[in-house]
């Protein structure tokens, strides 16, 4: 009643969604006798969503059925139900919705998450056309706490911010602007943000980042975000690393296939994920010490661009033979991973749109996961991935794959041939770590070319929900 009164006090007409797990037991007080009979008959006829037009508002009864023994599949079906309802709300030009979920907790959270994420739009550059009408989402359940609602609101906001960054074109989102966006996030959430400019990067000796940047007129940046609240629970920090290639032409190894460059603005999806994840953790006041590192540049074939055959001295001192300038992400990540050693981290989680091999193997349905962490950490990660349905598939880090990146003229080379590309990329990065490490190749999941339920079309924000769920469970 309090929520209804608040909506009424603000002169807001609202649609009502009633969530239930039973075809016979739900809040019937809002229906007339004839309406109630209609709703129950429709639910008995195996309809999971029933709409009733009460003229001054629409009421939807949504039946959430657990048809699987897999809890993660059930929760995902709740998010998809939310996706379905969002379309109806916007079709009827609803501005506000009240979700009544009496007796439900996880179903209510997942349904509302799916509904809110579906409502996302990137319309910054649109000069015409209709925006989604839905502006206010209210959720009520006697099983929910204020903490639940704060977390839900924060995660939705952070995921949408990550989508915005991935959807931005490079003529706005240069490496410099990406670092500016992270500074803004830091100010909003109370995160210390330090940005290294090109001179700083040269002085530091980040040879991998500088090598990729040689073909660009725009300078690189290296952004350090640190959230260290008083009373944090972890003695050693968790470090997040995200690939920030704001646009990738492939460099002089120009991308050869048709349309392969059209969406390369998304090649900083890893940077968006880690920057917005640490933002969410800070906004929700999760008591953990977390650091995010974002090396950023575009990869172009101009200026004095690196050429196949170049040997680069990396920040760590190792030498790399560059045989393909389109394998640039691992070059900039290697410098960031070496920098992470300064924090003596408990764990480093690195997210990158790294290889076509990962996308080919798994499509948009999961990311490739390679790890040197212990089994307890890996199991916890997989549990979190299933919970938020940002699924991972583990690939091996066997020594034999490391043989494929041995170089005749340098310590290692930056490509390993046509076989197991997502694994040889991870084996390359392994040369620059001395701590427990998780690598997430999100090439297929960070950006989708057609609407994918509540993930939408374009930037998905993949990784934000996975990182935050995993780290939240550490407290």
């Amino acid at each position: 009643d309090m929520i209804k009164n608040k909506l009424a006090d603000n002169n807001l007409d609202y649609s009502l969604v009633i969530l239930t797990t039973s075809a016979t037991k739900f809040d019937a007080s809002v229906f007339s006798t004839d309406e109630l009979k209609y709703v129950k008959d429709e639910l008995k006829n195996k309809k999971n969503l029933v709409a009733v037009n009460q003229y001054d508002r629409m009421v939807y009864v949504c039946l959430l059925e657990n048809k699987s023994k897999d809890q993660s599949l059930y929760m995902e079906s709740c998010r998809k139900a939310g996706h379905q309802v969002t379309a109806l709300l916007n079709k009827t030009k609803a501005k506000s919705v009240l979700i009544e979920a009496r007796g439900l907790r996880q179903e209510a959270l997942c349904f509302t998450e799916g509904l809110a994420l579906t409502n996302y739009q990137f319309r910054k550059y649109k000069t015409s056309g209709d925006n989604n009408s839905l502006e206010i989402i209210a959720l009520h359940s006697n099983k929910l706490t204020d903490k639940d609602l704060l977390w839900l609101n924060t995660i939705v906001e952070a995921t949408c911010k990550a989508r915005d960054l991935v959807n931005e074109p490079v003529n706005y989102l240069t490496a410099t602007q990406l670092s500016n966006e992270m500074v803004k996030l830091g100010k909003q959430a109370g995160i210390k943000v330090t940005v290294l400019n090109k001179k700083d990067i040269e002085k530091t000796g980040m040879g991998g980042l500088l090598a990729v940047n040689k073909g660009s007129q725009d300078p690189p940046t290296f952004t350090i975000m640190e959230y260290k609240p008083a009373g944090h629970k972890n003695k050693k920090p968790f470090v997040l690393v995200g690939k920030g290639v704001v646009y990738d032409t492939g460099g002089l190894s120009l991308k050869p296939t048709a349309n392969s460059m059209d969406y390369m603005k998304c090649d900083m999806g890893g940077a968006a994920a880690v920057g917005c994840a640490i933002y969410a953790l800070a906004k929700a006041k999760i008591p953990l010490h977390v650091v995010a590192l974002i090396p950023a540049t575009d990869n172009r074939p101009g200026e004095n661009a690196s050429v196949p055959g170049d040997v680069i001295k990396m920040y760590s001192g190792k030498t790399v033979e560059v045989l393909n300038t389109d394998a640039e992400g691992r070059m900039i990540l290697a410098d960031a991973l070496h920098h992470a050693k300064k924090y003596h981290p408990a764990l480093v989680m690195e997210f990158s749109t790294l290889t076509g091999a990962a996308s080919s193997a798994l499509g948009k349905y999961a990311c490739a996961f390679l790890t040197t962490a212990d089994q307890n950490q890996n199991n916890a990660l997989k549990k979190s991935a299933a919970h938020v349905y940002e699924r991972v598939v583990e690939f091996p880090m066997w020594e034999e794959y490391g043989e494929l990146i041995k170089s005749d003229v340098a310590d290692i080379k930056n490509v390993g041939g046509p076989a197991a590309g997502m694994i040889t990329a991870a084996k390359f990065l392994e040369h620059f770590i001395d701590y427990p490490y998780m690598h997430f190749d999100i090439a297929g999941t960070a950006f989708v070319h057609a609407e994918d339920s509540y993930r939408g079309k374009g930037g998905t924000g993949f990784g934000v929900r996975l990182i935050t769920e995993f780290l939240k469970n550490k407290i």
Side-chain angles (χ1 to χ4, degrees):
D1 289 340
M2 181 183 70
I3 296 174
K4 293 175 186 176
N5 291 337
K6 191 168 185 179
L7 290 168
D9 290 344
N10 286 281
N11 296 315
L12 292 172
D13 294 327
Y14 64 92
S15 295
L16 177 64
V17 177
I18 300 170
L19 300 185
T20 181
T21 56
S22 167
T24 57
K25 295 180 181 178
F26 53 87
D27 182 7
S29 64
V30 300
F31 297 115
S32 68
T33 302
D34 288 342
E35 288 172 342
L36 183 59
K37 182 179 183 304
Y38 167 73
V39 170
K40 288 189 173 181
D41 286 345
E42 289 291 280
L43 293 175
K44 286 177 185 176
N45 289 330
K46 305 300 181 185
K47 288 195 176 179
N48 288 73
L49 181 61
V50 183
V52 176
N53 187 342
Q54 295 185 331
Y55 301 105
D56 60 335
R57 68 174 178 183
M58 291 295 298
V59 181
Y60 303 91
V61 178
C62 186
L63 176 60
L64 304 172
E65 292 184 293
N66 189 357
K67 296 179 180 179
S68 170
K69 293 180 181 178
D70 186 335
Q71 185 71 0
S72 69
L73 290 176
Y74 175 42
M75 291 303 115
E76 181 68 358
S77 72
C78 295
R79 294 186 192 97
K80 288 183 175 180
H83 163 75
Q84 185 182 5
V85 171
T86 310
L88 297 176
L89 292 169
N90 283 307
K91 188 175 181 180
T92 59
K93 304 297 183 185
K95 288 188 176 181
S96 306
V97 61
L98 169 60
I99 301 164
E100 179 61 60
R102 188 176 300 170
L104 302 178
R105 181 179 180 274
Q106 200 59 53
E107 291 93 340
L109 292 170
C110 288
F111 178 90
T112 308
E113 181 181 48
L115 189 150
L117 288 175
T118 299
N119 202 50
Y120 169 83
Q121 291 180 298
F122 183 72
R123 295 191 55 83
K124 178 178 175 181
Y125 300 104
K126 288 278 193 179
T127 59
S128 61
D130 293 334
N131 292 327
N132 285 344
S133 62
L134 189 59
E135 296 175 358
I136 296 174
I137 301 168
L139 172 60
H140 176 256
S141 169
N142 56 335
K143 297 293 184 179
L144 293 174
T145 65
D146 289 346
K147 194 173 181 180
D148 288 329
L149 296 174
L150 171 64
W151 181 253
L152 173 63
N153 196 59
T154 302
I155 293 309
V156 168
E157 180 195 11
T159 301
C160 291
K161 284 181 180 293
R163 290 178 178 181
D164 281 346
L165 290 170
V166 174
N167 287 327
E168 281 284 4
V170 71
N171 61 335
Y172 172 79
L173 197 73
T174 61
T176 299
Q177 188 58 39
L178 178 61
S179 66
N180 291 342
E181 297 294 331
M182 296 304 161
V183 169
K184 290 179 192 175
L185 292 179
K187 287 180 179 177
Q188 292 168 14
I191 301 166
K192 179 184 176 183
V193 182
T194 304
V195 179
L196 306 186
N197 61 27
K198 187 172 183 178
K199 286 185 177 180
D200 299 325
I201 292 165
E202 289 172 338
K203 186 176 180 180
T204 304
M206 295 183 177
L209 179 53
L210 291 167
V212 176
N213 182 251
K214 284 177 68 178
S216 176
Q217 291 188 7
D218 296 327
T221 59
F222 189 89
T223 302
I224 303 163
M225 307 175 75
E226 185 168 12
Y227 170 57
K228 192 176 183 180
H232 56 85
K233 303 295 186 183
N234 50 330
K235 292 181 180 178
K236 293 183 176 182
F238 296 103
V239 176
L240 310 174
V241 175
K243 175 184 171 183
V245 175
V246 291
Y247 192 83
D248 182 21
T249 68
L252 283 175
S253 303
L254 203 65
K255 291 183 181 294
T257 51
N259 308 119
S260 59
M261 258 190 271
D262 292 2
Y263 303 98
M264 282 298 103
K265 66 181 184 180
C266 75
D267 213 15
M268 39 57 69
V274 303
C276 293
I278 194 172
Y279 167 84
L281 293 166
K283 285 280 280 189
K285 301 190 185 306
I286 300 300
L288 291 175
H289 181 194
V290 184
V291 176
L293 305 176
I294 299 172
T297 180
D298 55 327
N299 182 28
R300 306 224 189 201
E303 303 298 308
N304 193 29
S306 294
V307 302
D310 277 356
V311 175
I312 306 301
K313 185 179 180 182
M314 307 294 283
Y315 181 24
S316 71
K318 279 188 181 288
T319 57
V320 174
E321 181 185 13
V322 176
L323 291 181
N324 188 327
T325 63
D326 196 22
E328 85 299 332
R330 65 201 70 181
M331 298 293 288
I332 73 171
L333 290 169
D335 285 347
L337 292 173
H338 180 68
H339 185 84
K341 294 174 184 175
K342 295 181 182 230
Y343 298 96
H344 305 289
L347 176 70
V348 171
M349 304 171 72
E350 171 262 305
F351 284 74
S352 52
T353 48
L354 205 61
T355 67
S359 181
S360 296
L362 300 169
K364 66 182 181 180
Y365 305 104
C367 79
F369 172 57
L370 297 99
T371 176
T372 68
D374 66 46
Q375 201 55 50
N376 287 336
Q377 292 271 42
N378 295 337
N379 290 340
L381 185 283
K382 290 173 185 176
K383 184 177 179 181
S384 294
H387 181 77
V388 300
Y389 220 72
E390 292 193 338
R391 293 174 293 178
V392 303
V393 176
E394 186 173 356
F395 287 84
M397 292 277 276
W398 297 332
E399 290 182 11
E400 289 86 346
Y401 290 109
E403 298 292 319
L404 300 177
I405 58 170
K406 285 188 173 179
S407 168
D408 293 333
V409 299
D411 294 328
I412 49 175
K413 56 186 179 181
N414 77 329
V415 286
M422 81 286 278
I423 301 176
T424 54
K427 292 301 288 184
F428 177 94
L429 294 171
E430 190 180 20
H431 281 266
F432 302 91
I433 66 171
D434 66 358
Y435 39 70
Y437 169 57
M438 292 178 176
H439 165 68
F440 302 83
D441 191 333
I442 62 172
T445 57
F447 192 95
V448 292
H449 302 283
E451 185 179 301
D452 183 25
S453 186
Y454 61 89
R455 293 173 185 83
K457 180 180 180 182
T460 63
F462 186 98
V464 173
R465 294 162 59 242
L466 171 55
I467 295 166
T468 51
E469 177 67 21
F470 174 70
L471 292 182
K472 174 173 67 81
N473 291 332
K474 297 293 183 185
I475 58 176

